[in-house]
Amino acid sequence: MRVLLLALRRLAASLPTLFVLLVGLFLLLQLAPGDTVDALVAQIGGGDPTMIEELRRYYGLDVSVAVQLGRYVWRLLQLDLGYSAIYGKPVADVILERLPATLLLMGSALSFAFAAGMALGVLAARRVNRWPDTLISTLGLIFYATPSFWFGLMGIVIFAVKLGWLPAGGFEEIGAGYTGFRRVADIAWHLLLPTLTLALIFLATYLRIMRASMLEVMNLDFVRTAKAKGLSPGRVITAHVLRNALLPMVTLIGLQAGTMLGGSVVVESVFALPGLGRLAYEAVVQRDLNTLLGIVFVSALLVIVINFIVDLLYARLDPRIAT
Amino acid sequence: MRLTRRDALLSTSATLLSTILPRSAFSQESPRRGGILTAHLGSEQRILNPALRASTGVYLITSKIMEALVDLDAEGRPVPILATSWEGTPDGKTVTFKLRDGVTWHDGKPFTAADVQYTAMEMWKKHLNYGTQLQQYLEAVDTPDLHTAVFRYSRPMPLNLLLRALCDLGYIAPRHVFEGTNILENPANTAPIGTGPFKFVQYERGQFIIAERNPNYWRKDFPYLDRIVWRVITDKSAVAAALETGQIQLSSYNGLSLSDLDRLKDDKRFEVSTRGIEANAFNNTLEFNTRRKELSDVRVRRAIAHAIDVDFFIENFLYGQGKPATGPIPSSSPAFYPGGKPPYPFDKKKSEALLDEAGYKRGADGTRFTLKLVPIMNGEDVPLLATYIQQSLAGVGIKVEIVQLDIAGALTTVYRDWNFDLATGWHQYRGDPAVSTTVWYRSGSPKGAPWTNQWGWQSDKIDQLIDQAATEIDPEKRKTLYAEWVKAVNEELPVWMVTERQFFAATSKQLRNHHNTQRWDSSDWHDTWIAAS
């Protein structure tokens, strides 16, 4: 109950931010030359002025920016995200269609990056300045410095084109009609490469943060005490160091949740996945304001929710942080 | 390596077989029924109705589901599809189409002249891009009986223009589905109902579209394929991977990057060719804003054209995919192509001489003047050409600043705000110069209409030629008029057609009867089949 109350309070506090964000973005996008009709005309290779005028009326672009903004805010207050110009259906539907793929990709990449980053970070910290540390840190640097589209494409070239082990792209086998466990396995199969690609860069960050944080905590007084009272090195690490070293990692998750939504544009394009990142990109190119604002709205909500969970986790990890 | 007799024998027989087999194998192969053809879709379309949106991306999907009155054959001649014959009156103001009997819509209703009448008057004339221009003098479509549609025009309409244009702009939509509804919001725009060989099944946004065999198709025993799947892949490198792993069997209209096209050209599994896409030629353009003082002088425009080595650009940037253009009508359009040579061959000395003559001497820093170039991103080659123009013009003392915008931004900047000195993009030729080519030169296009004359340039002589040719009934006279027009616009050069190019398709060699007409990727695929692998 207390948690629920807290959640509501947090949401209420975020509402003004959300509103400013949406209105700001709406105005910002007015600065981009061309509207959704220009983008449509570009896509279909031309059109005559009467048709263009009519389309502008159809998309509600024949009125002033102020009126458009007014209409948008009014709809938003009624919890209506409007109509998508690209897909010709409600933005809420379009986003709901894409959300599962995005969440799946993001969730698995984040979990993998977090788990592997933590493990490698601990390993590197325990063998600090010896060869395992050097190896892990070098790998981390390479992952961090390499653009993810390159990783993705190389993954495709090696594992799909040359070896034929994994599919080159797509979310699942089209028209195969799998159900139940078979379908889950099929989707997992398709998401393996994209997840790894997306995870590698984040893994590098987690690994470095974990290593640094471990090293820092290992020099604190209470660890020395633990050692002095005769605990085994393994027990010191798991029971005392790890728990305290995890705090910055958890902070990082909260920060990166937002980045991951945007960062997956590249991965989604390379692997032809129907995610939110690609939708957002398309919405910008096609100047589909409603869709773009809708995505920002959903992403912002997602970030708020994740940060809320992060706060709860803090409290669990470190009881001193009262909520 | 030791060569045994056995090896030698085997290899000779294999060589023999390989020289004899392919030809005989192809001619004797009988079509195999069934199978799924998976094609690449590069960008998702907002609506899937070719009677409302003329665009290759729309045709790629809907031409299998909906049908036009006519289509092109391998030689580029119009052939009957939903129309069985046509006839024009000598004054050119009436065209009568006889329509195919026994055709039904996918929902079971019969196809009649009322569908043609409705589509022509309510969609082509009111909404369809390029259709509204083509049909602007269409007064009415009469339907004396169920299978006759009489098009009445207030001005003469050349029959060869109409037929060629109708291959793209002549798709018929079902009247009973659209009548009385808001046409632009009708659900059939994203779940099309047609008369074609394939029926629409499913559209999963961002992923794929599926169509399946229409068992009641009017061509008996066609089509061969069970299904067609279009996969949405936006990343060009991913398209190549999908082709190589067999996830897709076809990518057309330059869906692959130039370098991948060049690489897969030598891959035995694929045919990389312009065959079957001849009807869609395009040019790289250089557009001049003649409101700018320097560019209002035709000598400067010519000097700029002379300063750019088009052959070098094609060879080194386009992997040889194209040739220098001779004018706005491409050589792939024999009905109108006047022949000739590229009007402004690379000649740096001449270019400098022309600029000096025009009074723009090099300044102390070697620069004559500065121009702003807006690339209109139709394809990956556009920024390449922009950079090449920048470097070439630096060589004759013209400094070029490139303004990077995405396509919607560039269209607004160039065609509505006129905020450019030079622009470069594509001109697409659509079978007849009157469809989408002469608008690049005719004056009077309202401000904001993209890919039209927004250059601040006007010539009475050229306007007159364009109008005359658009209503000339006699095909020979039309061709002569267009030849005269090409000569005149090459002379005046409000726009320079830099290259002449064709789209490339990469197709798996498992496919049979592919690219066997001039606009195959936008045709119905009724006779296409997949050989057993």
Side-chain angles (χ1 to χ4, degrees), chain B residues 158-369:
Chain B
L159 189 59
N160 67 349
L161 161 62
L162 183 65
L163 289 175
R164 243 174 264 277
L166 283 187
C167 297
D168 280 336
L169 308 175
Y171 283 87
I172 307 294
R175 177 183 195 150
H176 63 273
V177 172
F178 284 92
E179 195 167 36
T181 68
N182 180 341
I183 288 185
L184 289 177
E185 281 175 16
N186 194 297
N189 285 332
T190 46
I193 296 167
T195 57
F198 296 92
K199 292 201 280 192
F200 172 83
V201 178
Q202 191 190 0
Y203 181 2
E204 205 61 52
R205 318 277 152 171
Q207 292 195 70
F208 57 85
I209 300 173
I210 299 178
E212 67 178 11
R213 188 173 188 275
N214 171 12
N216 301 318
Y217 189 46
W218 56 267
R219 282 179 172 117
K220 288 285 163 265
D221 299 324
F222 285 106
Y224 292 128
L225 296 168
D226 277 344
R227 275 183 162 206
I228 302 174
V229 175
W230 292 269
R231 276 187 96 112
V232 180
I233 307 175
T234 47
D235 185 83
K236 284 196 171 190
S237 314
V239 179
L243 258 179
E244 290 190 77
T245 53
Q247 274 194 330
I248 57 172
Q249 284 127 16
L250 166 73
S251 174
S252 189
Y253 298 119
N254 283 26
L256 289 159
S257 66
L258 294 168
S259 58
D260 276 327
L261 283 171
D262 192 57
R263 179 170 65 85
L264 293 180
K265 202 173 65 196
D266 304 320
D267 192 318
K268 291 202 167 38
R269 294 170 294 171
F270 307 104
E271 178 185 323
V272 175
S273 159
T274 62
R275 182 171 71 93
I277 331 177
E278 294 91 340
N280 297 77
F282 65 99
N283 306 93
N284 285 99
T285 61
L286 183 57
E287 299 150 35
F288 301 102
N289 189 351
T290 64
R291 293 170 196 91
R292 173 80 194 238
K293 184 170 72 71
E294 291 89 343
L295 296 174
S296 66
D297 188 333
V298 70
R299 287 173 298 189
V300 174
R301 303 201 291 268
R302 288 175 188 160
I304 288 175
H306 275 306
I308 294 159
D309 186 349
V310 183
D311 283 309
F312 182 88
F313 173 72
I314 292 171
E315 211 36 60
N316 295 287
F317 288 81
L318 302 181
Y319 295 88
Q321 295 167 21
K323 55 184 177 184
T326 56
I329 299 181
S331 58
S332 57
S333 177
F336 300 103
Y337 182 58
K341 280 190 294 199
Y344 299 97
F346 177 56
D347 189 340
K348 222 170 130 184
K349 276 211 185 89
K350 197 166 175 184
S351 173
E352 301 238 29
L354 278 168
L355 288 168
D356 286 339
E357 190 192 316
Y360 300 105
K361 302 264 191 251
R362 280 181 188 262
D365 59 346
T367 309
R368 297 170 196 272
F369 50 86

